[in-house]
Amino acid sequence: MSLQVEKLEGNMAKLTIEAPAEDFEAAIEKAYQKNKNRLSIPGFRKGKAPRKMIEQMYGKEVFFEDAANNLIPSAYANAVDECTEEIVSQPTIDVVQMEAGKPFIFTAEVALKPEVTLGKYKGVEVEKADTAVTEEEVDAAIGQERENSARTISVEDRAVKDGDMITLDFEGFVDGVAFKGGKGENYPLTIGSNAFIPGFEEQLIGAEAGKEVTVSVTFPEDYQAQELAGKPAEFKCTVKEIKEKQLPELDDEFASEVSEFETLAEYREDVKKNLEKKKLEEANDEKQDKIVDAIIADAKMDIPDAMIATQQRQMADDFAQRIQMQGLSIDQYFQFTGLTREAFLEQMKPQAEKRIQSRLVLEAIAKAEGLEAGDDEYDEEIKKMADSYRMDIEQLTDMIGEFEKKAIKEDICIKKAVDFVVENAVEV
């Protein structure tokens, strides 16, 4: 195999890769063996026709496409290993020469890792965050815990009020005619949740269980069903059941039930400490983001579109895997949200670009400051990973190749670079 690298504008490069004629011949033979059972030749049983007979009947190029698909991945991988440039995108492949008895030649257009010119990264000014916790915030946190611990009880001696959870039968009419999708039975609805169109839930306040009431509303102009948008409608509604939340008393008994503490005062103090810890963590994360944003703004780099596109696809694949673990396919997600794959990728573009910028400047800072990952730091990271995956360290180590080891050490350097810029920042 031979490789030629041509630098292009915008941190792009064209790799011209040439595989020997014998490699292309071997790929053609492999394609023949794979496909011969699918091709019919008069006078031969399927799978028994000689390759030359098939090529005479279907054309000598009959196996070329499969042969190219077999040969390109391995030839490209070898070229990447040989190339001294750092490639940061998926390739765009173009076949240049594909003839029997001749070398197979193709090009791969790729993005190269851009150079970063750092601006100011020491002494970056960042506004000091307020991490104080107010009594109102403590009250809100305890109030949420009371909501979580509330009992739901049926109500039979009064009408519907705001905040109630009801079971509802309804049917909607426009100009006296029932419309598709406007009917529901035993529908669960929390009054005040704004789950229905504006004005609907408020008109159910005061309704009595078992008695029909009429709710008059106007569909919003931007309503998803265009045939209903902007039209007035009436809903015949019957409340089947009324339930309300019963909050626990705010006392020592409540504190002992929701925490390890015996008194409300102790529980309240613990809630405050946890809020302070959470606020501090959030403030530190925000501080890091602002510092890195300032460093990016003062740095210079020319990021190729192909590099961003590759990052977008990686993020999309990661997202698809996450929702797959929740039992939802990416196609179902697109169906529910109305998004196309193209629109989904476009939404991810700003975040993809930000990730690349952050990574590039932090790598440049690590290099400028001579930050490296020591063996003890690497071992500690492997231990954390083993604990996370619930694996033996030796078992995990056996699975890690040189590429993965390099990536882990690079991530350690990135973390050290983040710590460095934060330590050297100035709070104002």
Side-chain angles (χ1 to χ4, degrees), residues 210-245:
K211 294 184 179 180
E212 184 180 281
V213 295
T214 299
V215 172
S216 300
V217 295
T218 300
F219 284 99
E221 294 292 342
D222 59 351
Y223 192 66
Q224 57 185 0
Q226 294 183 357
E227 67 275 12
L228 298 175
K231 292 186 177 180
E234 286 190 346
F235 285 84
K236 304 297 183 183
C237 302
T238 302
V239 176
K240 304 285 287 295
E241 187 179 19
I242 305 171
K243 292 183 177 181
E244 68 176 2
K245 281 185 177 181

Side-chain angles (χ1 to χ4, degrees), residues 74-322:
S74 59
Y76 175 73
N78 291 335
V80 171
D81 289 341
E82 183 179 321
C83 184
T84 57
E85 302 290 341
E86 189 167 354
I87 296 170
V88 291
S89 76
Q90 295 295 317
T92 300
I93 302 295
D94 186 26
V95 175
V96 176
Q97 179 171 284
M98 186 165 56
E99 298 180 38
K102 293 185 178 181
F104 177 75
I105 304 173
F106 66 99
T107 62
E109 191 166 312
V110 295
L112 303 180
K113 184 177 179 179
E115 292 288 333
V116 176
T117 303
L118 289 170
K120 181 178 181 180
Y121 65 89
K122 296 179 186 178
V124 175
E125 292 187 352
V126 61
E127 185 177 351
K128 187 173 183 178
D130 181 10
T131 58
V133 174
T134 65
E135 293 304 310
E136 288 77 11
E137 289 171 323
V138 176
D139 290 339
I142 294 176
Q144 184 59 57
E145 190 60 48
R146 289 181 74 199
E147 288 282 345
N148 296 340
S149 302
R151 293 189 305 131
T152 301
I153 60 172
S154 294
V155 176
E156 298 179 353
D157 59 349
R158 65 166 176 80
V160 175
K161 68 178 184 180
D162 195 21
D164 281 347
M165 294 164 286
I166 66 172
T167 302
L168 181 70
D169 287 353
F170 62 88
E171 186 172 13
F173 301 84
V174 172
D175 296 329
V177 179
F179 57 87
K180 184 179 179 181
K183 185 175 182 179
E185 294 182 351
N186 296 319
Y187 189 93
L189 175 65
T190 299
I191 304 299
S193 65
N194 298 318
F196 276 37
I197 56 179
F200 185 98
E201 295 169 27
E202 292 88 339
Q203 294 180 57
L204 291 174
I205 295 174
E208 297 179 16
K211 294 184 179 180
E212 184 180 281
V213 295
T214 299
V215 172
S216 300
V217 295
T218 300
F219 284 99
E221 294 292 342
D222 59 351
Y223 192 66
Q224 57 185 0
Q226 294 183 357
E227 67 275 12
L228 298 175
K231 292 186 177 180
E234 286 190 346
F235 285 84
K236 304 297 183 183
C237 302
T238 302
V239 176
K240 304 285 287 295
E241 187 179 19
I242 305 171
K243 292 183 177 181
E244 68 176 2
K245 281 185 177 181
Q246 189 175 71
L247 297 178
E249 292 295 325
L250 191 57
D251 53 20
D252 291 346
E253 182 180 352
F254 164 73
S256 65
E257 288 178 353
V258 299
S259 73
E260 60 187 75
F261 302 98
E262 295 300 321
T263 68
L264 181 61
E266 290 175 309
Y267 170 58
R268 185 179 183 86
E269 187 61 30
D270 184 64
V271 169
K272 185 173 184 179
K273 288 180 180 178
N274 288 331
L275 286 175
E276 288 172 342
K277 181 181 177 182
K278 182 181 178 182
K279 266 197 168 185
L280 185 59
E281 290 173 350
E282 291 174 347
N284 286 335
D285 289 342
E286 185 178 357
K287 179 180 177 181
Q288 289 179 11
D289 289 342
K290 287 182 176 179
I291 292 169
V292 173
D293 285 347
I295 294 170
I296 290 171
D298 207 30
K300 294 180 181 178
M301 63 193 105
D302 184 9
I303 302 174
D305 289 340
M307 185 179 185
I308 297 173
T310 296
Q311 180 68 53
Q312 287 172 266
R313 287 194 292 270
Q314 289 174 352
M315 290 167 60
D317 290 344
D318 289 344
F319 179 82
Q321 289 177 6
R322 288 197 302 273

Side-chain angles (χ1 to χ4, degrees), residues 3-57:
L3 169 67
Q4 292 181 346
V5 180
E6 178 188 356
K7 294 281 191 73
L8 305 175
E9 292 183 354
N11 286 312
M12 297 294 292
K14 183 166 73 173
L15 313 183
T16 301
I17 302 163
E18 180 178 318
E22 54 267 27
D23 287 1
F24 187 46
E25 169 59 29
I28 295 173
E29 179 63 23
K30 184 176 180 180
Y32 159 68
Q33 296 295 338
K34 175 185 174 183
N35 293 289
K36 63 182 181 179
N37 291 328
R38 305 174 188 172
L39 302 171
S40 297
I41 299 292
F44 293 92
R45 285 181 296 143
K46 275 192 175 182
K48 298 301 181 181
R51 180 177 138 191
K52 288 189 178 298
M53 292 289 293
I54 296 174
E55 290 174 339
Q56 285 178 5
M57 184 167 185

